[in-house]
Amino acid sequence: MADVVWRSHGRARRSTFAVRVWVSAVIVAAVAAAVLLVPPIVQLDQQAVDLSMKLQPPSLAHPFGTDDVGRDLLLRCVYGLRVSLLVGLVAALAATVVGTAVGAAAAAFGGWTDRLVMRLVDAFSSVPHLLLGIFIVAMFRPGVGPVIVSVALTHWLSTARIVRSEVLSLRSRPYIDAAISGGASRWRVTTRHLLPAVLPQAGLAAVLMVPHAMWHESALSFLGLGLPSHQASLGSLVQTARGSLLAGDWWPTLFPGLLLIVPTLAIAGLAGAWRERLNPRRRSELML
């Protein structure tokens, strides 16, 4: 009887895991379709001001309602989501490339190089990400580029640590010893054996970094930094809607917040599924 209960519980957990993955995939696909298709199909100017339609609640004409100057909130949210996704994807890719290169170099060379690089990583980690990001953004003119640079330069540290630990683990493998004994140079061992082996972990780190980068960009936009005031961003939309929320108009704050929370949770869900596939032992424990 206990064995039957144990198996039933395992099937239930597998079913829940599969549902979570499918729901996350559907949400990510819907978000991608929205940011790619809505602006070309809906031939409306997101900056078009119509004070006669100021703060209209959600309706068939305006599914998300309108903002405090009569602009369509659905279109503004889609454009803001495009900015957040662009920053998240590009910054995560750049941070992963930097972190992978730094972590692999530190572990491959070892010795004083490894100690020096990791002390630099610790020094950067001691500074809060948001504070360092504000400092970087303040040195440039407002725009998407400085925000991407800011997020990328503050998010490569965790990837460097992950890649370094993986490379250190791989260096003790027999095939690495055989390659070195066969006369392979350190550069060849790193590029032909070590880096390809850590690419799945680096890719997972990049996917996990996308939601973090989106939230970081939204925080900078909420503070009024990085992007021009006329450019829609989910963080800036929430910031400008604070006065409307105090007046009882909930939709200018709710919908940008949902479009920030739901996609990031979906991306994190898919990344979690990828992590279970990379770690069969953890996945088997989950399925029990």
Coordinates of all heavy atoms in Angstrom, one line a residue, residues 123-221:
A123 N 35.2 42.1 -5.0 CA 35.2 43.5 -4.8 C 34.0 44.1 -5.5 O 33.2 44.9 -5.0 CB 36.5 44.2 -5.4
F124 N 33.7 43.7 -6.8 CA 32.5 44.1 -7.5 C 31.2 43.7 -6.8 O 30.3 44.4 -6.8 CB 32.5 43.6 -8.9 CG 33.3 44.5 -9.9 CD1 34.6 44.1 -10.3 CD2 32.8 45.7 -10.4 CE1 35.3 44.9 -11.2 CE2 33.5 46.5 -11.2 CZ 34.8 46.1 -11.6
S125 N 31.3 42.4 -6.3 CA 30.1 41.9 -5.6 C 29.7 42.6 -4.3 O 28.6 42.6 -3.9 CB 30.3 40.4 -5.3 OG 30.5 39.7 -6.5
S126 N 30.7 43.3 -3.7 CA 30.5 44.0 -2.5 C 29.7 45.3 -2.7 O 29.1 45.8 -1.7 CB 31.8 44.3 -1.8 OG 32.6 45.2 -2.6
V127 N 29.6 45.8 -3.9 CA 28.8 47.0 -4.2 C 27.4 46.6 -4.7 O 27.3 45.7 -5.5 CB 29.5 47.8 -5.3 CG1 28.7 49.1 -5.6 CG2 30.9 48.1 -4.9
P128 N 26.4 47.1 -4.1 CA 25.0 46.8 -4.5 C 24.8 47.0 -6.0 O 25.3 48.0 -6.6 CB 24.1 47.7 -3.7 CG 24.9 48.1 -2.5 CD 26.4 48.1 -3.0
H129 N 24.2 46.1 -6.7 CA 24.0 46.1 -8.2 C 23.3 47.4 -8.6 O 23.7 48.1 -9.5 CB 23.2 44.9 -8.6 CG 24.0 43.7 -8.6 ND1 23.4 42.4 -9.0 CD2 25.3 43.4 -8.4 CE1 24.4 41.5 -8.9 NE2 25.5 42.1 -8.5
L130 N 22.2 47.8 -7.9 CA 21.5 48.9 -8.3 C 22.3 50.2 -8.1 O 22.2 51.1 -9.0 CB 20.2 49.0 -7.5 CG 19.2 50.1 -7.9 CD1 18.8 50.0 -9.3 CD2 18.0 50.1 -7.0
L131 N 23.0 50.3 -7.1 CA 23.9 51.5 -6.9 C 24.9 51.6 -7.9 O 25.1 52.7 -8.5 CB 24.5 51.5 -5.5 CG 25.4 52.6 -5.1 CD1 24.5 53.9 -5.1 CD2 26.0 52.4 -3.7
L132 N 25.6 50.5 -8.3 CA 26.6 50.5 -9.3 C 25.9 50.8 -10.7 O 26.5 51.6 -11.5 CB 27.3 49.2 -9.4 CG 28.5 49.1 -10.3 CD1 29.5 50.1 -10.1 CD2 29.1 47.7 -10.3
G133 N 24.7 50.3 -10.9 CA 24.0 50.5 -12.2 C 23.7 52.0 -12.3 O 23.8 52.6 -13.4
I134 N 23.2 52.6 -11.2 CA 22.9 54.1 -11.3 C 24.2 54.9 -11.6 O 24.1 55.8 -12.4 CB 22.3 54.5 -9.9 CG1 20.9 53.9 -9.7 CG2 22.2 56.0 -9.8 CD1 20.3 54.1 -8.4
F135 N 25.3 54.5 -11.0 CA 26.5 55.2 -11.3 C 26.9 55.1 -12.8 O 27.4 56.1 -13.4 CB 27.7 54.7 -10.4 CG 29.0 55.3 -10.7 CD1 29.3 56.5 -10.3 CD2 30.0 54.5 -11.4 CE1 30.6 57.1 -10.5 CE2 31.2 55.0 -11.7 CZ 31.5 56.3 -11.2
I136 N 26.8 53.9 -13.3 CA 27.2 53.7 -14.7 C 26.2 54.5 -15.7 O 26.7 55.1 -16.6 CB 27.2 52.2 -15.1 CG1 28.2 51.5 -14.3 CG2 27.4 52.0 -16.6 CD1 28.2 50.0 -14.4
V137 N 24.9 54.4 -15.4 CA 23.9 55.1 -16.3 C 24.1 56.6 -16.2 O 24.0 57.3 -17.3 CB 22.5 54.7 -15.8 CG1 21.5 55.6 -16.5 CG2 22.2 53.3 -16.2
A138 N 24.5 57.1 -15.1 CA 24.7 58.6 -14.9 C 25.8 59.1 -15.8 O 25.9 60.3 -16.1 CB 24.9 58.9 -13.5
M139 N 26.7 58.3 -16.3 CA 27.8 58.7 -17.1 C 27.5 58.9 -18.6 O 28.3 59.3 -19.4 CB 29.0 57.8 -16.9 CG 29.6 57.7 -15.5 SD 31.2 56.8 -15.4 CE 30.6 55.2 -15.9
F140 N 26.3 58.4 -19.0 CA 25.9 58.5 -20.4 C 24.6 59.3 -20.6 O 23.9 59.6 -19.6 CB 25.7 57.0 -20.9 CG 26.9 56.2 -20.8 CD1 27.0 55.3 -19.7 CD2 27.8 56.1 -21.8 CE1 28.1 54.5 -19.6 CE2 28.9 55.3 -21.7 CZ 29.1 54.5 -20.6
R141 N 24.3 59.6 -21.8 CA 23.1 60.2 -22.1 C 21.9 59.2 -22.0 O 22.2 58.0 -22.2 CB 23.1 60.8 -23.6 CG 24.0 62.0 -23.7 CD 23.9 62.5 -25.2 NE 24.7 63.8 -25.3 CZ 24.7 64.5 -26.4 NH1 24.0 64.0 -27.5 NH2 25.5 65.5 -26.5
P142 N 20.7 59.6 -21.7 CA 19.6 58.7 -21.6 C 19.4 57.9 -22.9 O 19.5 58.4 -24.0 CB 18.4 59.6 -21.3 CG 19.0 60.8 -20.7 CD 20.3 61.0 -21.4
G143 N 19.2 56.6 -22.7 CA 18.9 55.7 -23.9 C 19.0 54.3 -23.5 O 19.4 53.9 -22.4
V144 N 18.6 53.4 -24.4 CA 18.6 52.0 -24.1 C 20.0 51.4 -24.0 O 20.3 50.6 -23.1 CB 17.8 51.2 -25.3 CG1 17.9 49.7 -25.0 CG2 16.4 51.6 -25.3
G145 N 20.9 51.9 -24.8 CA 22.3 51.4 -24.8 C 23.0 51.5 -23.4 O 23.5 50.5 -22.9
P146 N 22.9 52.7 -22.8 CA 23.5 52.8 -21.4 C 22.9 51.9 -20.4 O 23.6 51.4 -19.5 CB 23.3 54.3 -21.0 CG 23.2 55.0 -22.3 CD 22.6 54.0 -23.3
V147 N 21.6 51.6 -20.5 CA 20.9 50.7 -19.6 C 21.4 49.3 -19.8 O 21.7 48.6 -18.8 CB 19.4 50.8 -19.7 CG1 18.7 49.8 -18.8 CG2 18.9 52.2 -19.4
I148 N 21.6 48.9 -21.0 CA 22.1 47.6 -21.3 C 23.5 47.4 -20.8 O 23.9 46.4 -20.2 CB 22.1 47.3 -22.9 CG1 20.6 47.2 -23.3 CG2 22.8 46.0 -23.2 CD1 20.5 47.1 -24.8
V149 N 24.4 48.4 -21.0 CA 25.7 48.4 -20.5 C 25.7 48.3 -19.0 O 26.5 47.5 -18.4 CB 26.5 49.6 -21.0 CG1 27.9 49.7 -20.3 CG2 26.7 49.6 -22.5
S150 N 24.9 49.1 -18.3 CA 24.8 49.1 -16.9 C 24.4 47.7 -16.3 O 25.0 47.2 -15.4 CB 23.8 50.1 -16.4 OG 23.5 50.0 -15.1
V151 N 23.4 47.1 -16.9 CA 22.9 45.8 -16.5 C 23.9 44.7 -16.7 O 24.2 43.9 -15.9 CB 21.5 45.4 -17.1 CG1 21.1 44.1 -16.7 CG2 20.5 46.5 -16.7
A152 N 24.6 44.8 -17.9 CA 25.5 43.8 -18.3 C 26.8 43.8 -17.4 O 27.3 42.8 -16.9 CB 26.0 43.9 -19.7
L153 N 27.2 45.0 -17.0 CA 28.4 45.2 -16.2 C 28.2 44.8 -14.7 O 29.2 44.7 -14.0 CB 29.0 46.6 -16.4 CG 29.6 46.9 -17.7 CD1 30.1 48.4 -17.7 CD2 30.7 45.9 -18.1
T154 N 26.9 44.7 -14.3 CA 26.6 44.4 -12.9 C 26.1 43.0 -12.7 O 25.8 42.6 -11.6 CB 25.6 45.4 -12.4 OG1 24.4 45.4 -13.2 CG2 26.2 46.8 -12.3
H155 N 26.0 42.2 -13.8 CA 25.4 40.9 -13.7 C 26.2 39.8 -14.2 O 25.7 38.6 -14.3 CB 24.0 40.9 -14.4 CG 22.9 41.7 -13.7 ND1 22.9 43.0 -13.7 CD2 21.8 41.2 -13.1 CE1 21.8 43.4 -13.0 NE2 21.2 42.4 -12.6
W156 N 27.5 40.0 -14.5 CA 28.4 38.9 -15.0 C 29.0 38.2 -13.9 O 29.6 37.1 -14.1 CB 29.4 39.5 -15.9 CG 30.3 40.5 -15.3 CD1 30.2 41.8 -15.2 CD2 31.6 40.2 -14.6 NE1 31.2 42.4 -14.5 CE2 32.1 41.5 -14.2 CE3 32.3 39.1 -14.4 CZ2 33.3 41.6 -13.5 CZ3 33.5 39.2 -13.7 CH2 34.0 40.4 -13.2
L157 N 28.9 38.7 -12.6 CA 29.7 38.1 -11.5 C 29.3 36.7 -11.2 O 30.1 35.8 -11.0 CB 29.6 39.0 -10.3 CG 29.9 40.5 -10.5 CD1 29.6 41.3 -9.3 CD2 31.4 40.6 -10.9
S158 N 28.0 36.4 -11.1 CA 27.5 35.1 -10.8 C 27.8 34.1 -11.8 O 28.2 32.9 -11.5 CB 26.0 35.1 -10.5 OG 25.3 35.6 -11.7
T159 N 27.8 34.5 -13.1 CA 28.2 33.6 -14.2 C 29.6 33.2 -14.1 O 30.0 32.1 -14.3 CB 27.9 34.2 -15.6 OG1 26.5 34.6 -15.6 CG2 28.2 33.3 -16.7
A160 N 30.5 34.2 -13.8 CA 31.9 33.9 -13.6 C 32.2 32.9 -12.5 O 33.0 32.0 -12.7 CB 32.7 35.2 -13.3
R161 N 31.5 33.0 -11.4 CA 31.7 32.0 -10.3 C 31.2 30.7 -10.8 O 31.9 29.6 -10.5 CB 30.9 32.5 -9.1 CG 31.5 33.7 -8.4 CD 30.9 33.8 -7.0 NE 31.5 34.9 -6.2 CZ 31.0 36.1 -6.1 NH1 29.9 36.4 -6.7 NH2 31.7 37.0 -5.4
I162 N 30.0 30.6 -11.5 CA 29.5 29.3 -11.9 C 30.5 28.6 -12.9 O 30.8 27.4 -12.7 CB 28.1 29.5 -12.5 CG1 27.1 29.9 -11.4 CG2 27.7 28.2 -13.2 CD1 25.8 30.3 -12.0
V163 N 30.9 29.4 -13.9 CA 31.8 28.8 -14.9 C 33.1 28.4 -14.3 O 33.7 27.3 -14.6 CB 32.0 29.8 -16.0 CG1 33.1 29.3 -17.0 CG2 30.7 30.0 -16.8
R164 N 33.7 29.2 -13.3 CA 34.9 28.9 -12.7 C 34.8 27.6 -11.9 O 35.7 26.7 -12.0 CB 35.3 30.0 -11.7 CG 36.6 29.7 -10.9 CD 36.9 30.8 -9.9 NE 38.0 30.4 -9.1 CZ 37.9 29.8 -7.9 NH1 36.7 29.5 -7.5 NH2 38.9 29.5 -7.2
S165 N 33.7 27.4 -11.2 CA 33.6 26.1 -10.4 C 33.4 24.9 -11.3 O 34.0 23.9 -11.0 CB 32.4 26.3 -9.5 OG 31.2 26.4 -10.2
E166 N 32.7 25.1 -12.4 CA 32.6 24.0 -13.4 C 33.9 23.6 -14.0 O 34.2 22.5 -14.2 CB 31.6 24.4 -14.5 CG 30.1 24.4 -14.0 CD 29.6 23.0 -13.6 OE1 30.0 22.1 -14.3 OE2 28.9 22.9 -12.6
V167 N 34.7 24.7 -14.4 CA 36.0 24.4 -15.1 C 36.9 23.7 -14.1 O 37.7 22.8 -14.4 CB 36.6 25.7 -15.6 CG1 38.0 25.5 -16.1 CG2 35.7 26.2 -16.8
L168 N 36.9 24.2 -12.8 CA 37.8 23.5 -11.8 C 37.4 22.1 -11.6 O 38.3 21.2 -11.4 CB 37.7 24.3 -10.5 CG 38.3 25.7 -10.4 CD1 38.1 26.3 -9.1 CD2 39.8 25.6 -10.7
S169 N 36.1 21.8 -11.7 CA 35.7 20.4 -11.6 C 36.1 19.6 -12.8 O 36.6 18.4 -12.7 CB 34.2 20.3 -11.4 OG 33.7 19.0 -11.5
L170 N 36.0 20.2 -14.0 CA 36.4 19.5 -15.2 C 37.9 19.2 -15.3 O 38.3 18.2 -16.0 CB 35.9 20.2 -16.4 CG 34.4 20.3 -16.7 CD1 34.1 21.3 -17.8 CD2 33.9 18.9 -17.0
R171 N 38.7 20.1 -14.7 CA 40.2 20.0 -14.8 C 40.7 18.7 -14.2 O 41.8 18.2 -14.6 CB 40.9 21.1 -14.2 CG 40.8 22.4 -15.0 CD 41.5 23.6 -14.2 NE 42.8 23.3 -13.8 CZ 43.6 24.1 -13.1 NH1 43.1 25.3 -12.7 NH2 44.8 23.8 -12.8
S172 N 39.9 18.1 -13.3 CA 40.3 16.8 -12.7 C 39.9 15.6 -13.4 O 40.1 14.5 -13.0 CB 39.8 16.8 -11.2 OG 38.4 16.8 -11.2
R173 N 39.2 15.8 -14.6 CA 38.7 14.6 -15.3 C 39.8 13.9 -16.1 O 40.8 14.6 -16.5 CB 37.6 15.1 -16.3 CG 36.4 15.8 -15.7 CD 35.6 14.8 -14.9 NE 34.5 15.5 -14.2 CZ 33.3 15.8 -14.7 NH1 33.1 15.4 -16.0 NH2 32.4 16.4 -14.0
P174 N 39.7 12.6 -16.3 CA 40.8 11.9 -16.9 C 41.1 12.3 -18.4 O 42.2 12.4 -18.8 CB 40.3 10.4 -16.9 CG 39.3 10.3 -15.8 CD 38.7 11.7 -15.7
Y175 N 40.0 12.7 -19.1 CA 40.3 13.1 -20.5 C 41.0 14.4 -20.6 O 41.8 14.6 -21.6 CB 39.0 13.1 -21.3 CG 38.0 14.3 -21.0 CD1 38.1 15.5 -21.7 CD2 37.1 14.1 -20.0 CE1 37.2 16.5 -21.4 CE2 36.2 15.2 -19.7 CZ 36.3 16.4 -20.4 OH 35.4 17.4 -20.1
I176 N 40.9 15.3 -19.6 CA 41.7 16.5 -19.6 C 43.1 16.2 -19.3 O 44.1 16.7 -19.9 CB 41.1 17.5 -18.5 CG1 39.7 17.8 -18.8 CG2 42.0 18.7 -18.4 CD1 39.5 18.6 -20.1
D177 N 43.4 15.3 -18.3 CA 44.8 14.8 -18.1 C 45.4 14.2 -19.3 O 46.6 14.4 -19.6 CB 44.8 13.8 -16.9 CG 44.4 14.5 -15.6 OD1 44.6 15.7 -15.5 OD2 43.9 13.8 -14.7
A178 N 44.6 13.4 -20.0 CA 45.1 12.7 -21.2 C 45.4 13.8 -22.3 O 46.5 13.6 -23.0 CB 44.0 11.8 -21.8
A179 N 44.6 14.8 -22.4 CA 44.9 15.8 -23.4 C 46.2 16.6 -23.1 O 47.0 16.9 -24.0 CB 43.7 16.8 -23.5
I180 N 46.4 16.9 -21.8 CA 47.6 17.6 -21.4 C 48.8 16.7 -21.6 O 49.9 17.2 -22.0 CB 47.4 18.1 -19.9 CG1 46.3 19.1 -19.8 CG2 48.7 18.7 -19.4 CD1 46.0 19.5 -18.4
S181 N 48.7 15.4 -21.2 CA 49.8 14.5 -21.4 C 50.1 14.3 -22.8 O 51.3 14.0 -23.2 CB 49.4 13.1 -20.8 OG 49.1 13.3 -19.4
G182 N 49.1 14.5 -23.7 CA 49.4 14.3 -25.2 C 50.0 15.6 -25.8 O 50.3 15.6 -27.0
G183 N 50.3 16.6 -25.0 CA 50.9 17.8 -25.5 C 50.0 18.9 -25.9 O 50.5 19.9 -26.5
A184 N 48.8 18.8 -25.6 CA 47.8 19.9 -25.9 C 48.2 21.2 -25.1 O 48.4 21.1 -23.9 CB 46.4 19.5 -25.7
S185 N 48.1 22.3 -25.7 CA 48.4 23.6 -25.0 C 47.2 23.9 -24.1 O 46.1 23.4 -24.2 CB 48.7 24.7 -26.0 OG 47.5 25.0 -26.7
R186 N 47.5 24.8 -23.1 CA 46.4 25.3 -22.2 C 45.3 25.9 -23.0 O 44.1 25.8 -22.7 CB 47.0 26.2 -21.2 CG 46.1 26.7 -20.1 CD 46.7 27.5 -19.0 NE 47.7 26.6 -18.3 CZ 48.5 27.0 -17.3 NH1 48.4 28.3 -17.0 NH2 49.3 26.2 -16.7
W187 N 45.6 26.7 -24.0 CA 44.6 27.4 -24.8 C 43.7 26.3 -25.5 O 42.5 26.5 -25.6 CB 45.3 28.3 -25.8 CG 44.3 28.9 -26.8 CD1 44.1 28.5 -28.1 CD2 43.4 30.0 -26.6 NE1 43.2 29.2 -28.8 CE2 42.7 30.2 -27.8 CE3 43.1 30.8 -25.5 CZ2 41.7 31.1 -28.0 CZ3 42.1 31.8 -25.7 CH2 41.5 31.9 -26.9
R188 N 44.4 25.3 -26.1 CA 43.6 24.3 -26.8 C 42.7 23.5 -25.9 O 41.6 23.2 -26.2 CB 44.6 23.3 -27.5 CG 43.9 22.3 -28.4 CD 44.8 21.4 -29.1 NE 44.2 20.3 -29.9 CZ 43.6 20.5 -31.1 NH1 43.7 21.7 -31.7 NH2 43.0 19.5 -31.7
V189 N 43.2 23.2 -24.7 CA 42.4 22.4 -23.7 C 41.2 23.3 -23.3 O 40.1 22.8 -23.2 CB 43.3 22.0 -22.5 CG1 42.4 21.5 -21.4 CG2 44.3 21.0 -22.9
T190 N 41.4 24.6 -23.1 CA 40.4 25.4 -22.7 C 39.3 25.6 -23.8 O 38.1 25.5 -23.5 CB 40.9 26.8 -22.3 OG1 41.9 26.7 -21.3 CG2 39.8 27.7 -21.8
T191 N 39.7 25.8 -25.0 CA 38.8 26.1 -26.1 C 38.1 24.9 -26.6 O 37.0 24.9 -27.1 CB 39.4 26.9 -27.2 OG1 40.6 26.1 -27.7 CG2 39.9 28.2 -26.7
R192 N 38.8 23.7 -26.6 CA 38.3 22.5 -27.2 C 37.6 21.6 -26.2 O 36.8 20.8 -26.7 CB 39.5 21.7 -27.9 CG 40.1 22.4 -29.1 CD 39.1 22.5 -30.3 NE 38.7 21.2 -30.7 CZ 39.3 20.5 -31.6 NH1 40.4 21.0 -32.2 NH2 38.9 19.3 -32.0
H193 N 37.9 21.7 -25.0 CA 37.4 20.7 -24.0 C 36.6 21.4 -22.9 O 35.5 21.0 -22.6 CB 38.5 19.9 -23.4 CG 39.2 19.1 -24.4 ND1 38.7 18.0 -25.0 CD2 40.5 19.2 -24.9 CE1 39.6 17.4 -25.9 NE2 40.7 18.2 -25.8
L194 N 37.2 22.5 -22.3 CA 36.6 23.0 -21.1 C 35.4 23.9 -21.5 O 34.3 23.8 -20.9 CB 37.6 23.9 -20.3 CG 38.8 23.0 -19.7 CD1 39.7 24.0 -19.0 CD2 38.3 21.9 -18.8
L195 N 35.6 24.9 -22.4 CA 34.5 25.8 -22.7 C 33.2 25.1 -23.3 O 32.1 25.4 -22.9 CB 34.9 26.8 -23.7 CG 35.7 28.0 -23.1 CD1 36.1 29.0 -24.2 CD2 34.8 28.7 -22.0
P196 N 33.4 24.1 -24.2 CA 32.2 23.4 -24.7 C 31.4 22.7 -23.6 O 30.2 22.6 -23.6 CB 32.7 22.4 -25.8 CG 34.0 23.1 -26.2 CD 34.6 23.8 -25.0
A197 N 32.2 22.2 -22.6 CA 31.5 21.5 -21.5 C 30.7 22.4 -20.6 O 29.8 21.9 -19.9 CB 32.6 20.7 -20.7
V198 N 31.1 23.6 -20.5 CA 30.4 24.5 -19.6 C 29.4 25.4 -20.3 O 28.6 26.2 -19.6 CB 31.4 25.5 -18.8 CG1 32.4 24.7 -18.0 CG2 32.1 26.4 -19.8
L199 N 29.2 25.3 -21.6 CA 28.3 26.1 -22.3 C 26.8 25.8 -21.9 O 26.0 26.8 -21.8 CB 28.4 25.8 -23.8 CG 29.6 26.5 -24.5 CD1 29.6 26.2 -26.0 CD2 29.5 28.0 -24.3
P200 N 26.4 24.6 -21.6 CA 25.0 24.4 -21.1 C 24.8 25.2 -19.8 O 23.7 25.8 -19.6 CB 24.9 22.9 -20.9 CG 25.9 22.3 -21.8 CD 27.0 23.3 -21.8
Q201 N 25.7 25.1 -18.8 CA 25.6 25.9 -17.6 C 25.6 27.4 -17.9 O 24.8 28.1 -17.2 CB 26.7 25.5 -16.6 CG 26.7 24.1 -16.1 CD 25.5 23.8 -15.2 OE1 24.9 24.8 -14.7 NE2 25.2 22.6 -14.9
A202 N 26.4 27.8 -18.8 CA 26.4 29.3 -19.1 C 25.1 29.7 -19.7 O 24.6 30.8 -19.5 CB 27.6 29.6 -20.0
G203 N 24.6 28.9 -20.6 CA 23.3 29.2 -21.2 C 22.2 29.3 -20.2 O 21.3 30.1 -20.3
L204 N 22.2 28.3 -19.3 CA 21.2 28.4 -18.2 C 21.3 29.6 -17.4 O 20.3 30.3 -17.0 CB 21.3 27.1 -17.3 CG 20.5 27.1 -16.1 CD1 19.0 27.1 -16.5 CD2 20.8 25.8 -15.2
A205 N 22.6 30.0 -17.1 CA 22.8 31.3 -16.3 C 22.3 32.5 -17.1 O 21.7 33.4 -16.5 CB 24.3 31.4 -16.0
A206 N 22.4 32.4 -18.4 CA 21.9 33.6 -19.3 C 20.4 33.6 -19.2 O 19.8 34.7 -19.1 CB 22.4 33.4 -20.7
V207 N 19.7 32.5 -19.3 CA 18.2 32.5 -19.2 C 17.8 32.9 -17.9 O 16.8 33.7 -17.8 CB 17.7 31.1 -19.6 CG1 16.2 31.0 -19.4 CG2 18.1 30.7 -21.0
L208 N 18.4 32.5 -16.8 CA 18.0 32.9 -15.5 C 18.3 34.4 -15.2 O 17.7 35.0 -14.4 CB 18.8 32.1 -14.4 CG 18.3 30.6 -14.2 CD1 19.3 29.9 -13.4 CD2 16.9 30.5 -13.7
M209 N 19.2 34.9 -16.0 CA 19.6 36.3 -15.8 C 18.6 37.3 -16.5 O 18.5 38.4 -16.1 CB 21.0 36.6 -16.4 CG 21.7 37.8 -15.8 SD 23.3 38.0 -16.6 CE 24.1 36.4 -16.2
V210 N 17.8 36.8 -17.5 CA 16.9 37.6 -18.2 C 15.9 38.3 -17.3 O 15.7 39.5 -17.3 CB 16.2 36.9 -19.4 CG1 15.1 37.7 -20.0 CG2 17.3 36.5 -20.4
P211 N 15.2 37.5 -16.4 CA 14.2 38.1 -15.5 C 14.9 39.1 -14.6 O 14.3 40.2 -14.3 CB 13.6 37.0 -14.8 CG 13.8 35.8 -15.6 CD 15.1 36.0 -16.3
H212 N 16.1 38.8 -14.1 CA 16.8 39.7 -13.2 C 17.1 41.0 -13.9 O 17.0 42.1 -13.4 CB 18.0 39.0 -12.7 CG 18.6 39.7 -11.5 ND1 19.8 39.3 -10.9 CD2 18.3 40.8 -10.8 CE1 20.1 40.1 -9.9 NE2 19.2 41.0 -9.8
A213 N 17.6 40.9 -15.2 CA 17.9 42.1 -15.9 C 16.7 42.9 -16.2 O 16.7 44.2 -16.2 CB 18.6 41.7 -17.2
M214 N 15.6 42.3 -16.5 CA 14.3 43.0 -16.7 C 13.9 43.8 -15.5 O 13.5 45.0 -15.6 CB 13.2 42.1 -17.2 CG 13.4 41.5 -18.6 SD 12.1 40.3 -19.0 CE 10.7 41.3 -19.0
W215 N 14.0 43.2 -14.3 CA 13.6 43.9 -13.1 C 14.6 45.0 -12.8 O 14.2 46.1 -12.3 CB 13.6 42.9 -11.9 CG 12.3 42.1 -11.9 CD1 12.1 40.9 -12.4 CD2 11.1 42.5 -11.2 NE1 10.8 40.5 -12.2 CE2 10.2 41.5 -11.4 CE3 10.7 43.7 -10.5 CZ2 8.9 41.6 -10.9 CZ3 9.4 43.7 -10.0 CH2 8.5 42.7 -10.2
H216 N 15.9 44.8 -13.1 CA 16.9 45.8 -12.9 C 16.6 47.1 -13.8 O 16.7 48.2 -13.4 CB 18.3 45.3 -13.2 CG 19.4 46.1 -12.7 ND1 20.0 45.9 -11.5 CD2 20.1 47.2 -13.2 CE1 21.0 46.8 -11.3 NE2 21.0 47.6 -12.3
E217 N 16.3 46.8 -15.1 CA 15.9 47.9 -16.0 C 14.7 48.6 -15.5 O 14.6 49.9 -15.6 CB 15.7 47.3 -17.4 CG 15.4 48.4 -18.4 CD 13.9 48.6 -18.5 OE1 13.1 47.7 -18.2 OE2 13.5 49.8 -18.8
S218 N 13.7 47.9 -15.0 CA 12.5 48.5 -14.6 C 12.7 49.4 -13.3 O 12.1 50.4 -13.2 CB 11.4 47.4 -14.3 OG 11.1 46.7 -15.4
A219 N 13.6 48.9 -12.5 CA 14.0 49.7 -11.3 C 14.6 51.0 -11.7 O 14.3 52.1 -11.2 CB 14.9 48.9 -10.4
L220 N 15.6 50.9 -12.7 CA 16.2 52.2 -13.1 C 15.2 53.1 -13.8 O 15.2 54.3 -13.6 CB 17.3 51.8 -14.1 CG 18.6 51.1 -13.6 CD1 19.5 50.7 -14.7 CD2 19.3 52.0 -12.6
S221 N 14.3 52.5 -14.6 CA 13.3 53.3 -15.2 C 12.3 53.9 -14.2 O 11.8 55.1 -14.3 CB 12.5 52.5 -16.2 OG 13.3 52.0 -17.3

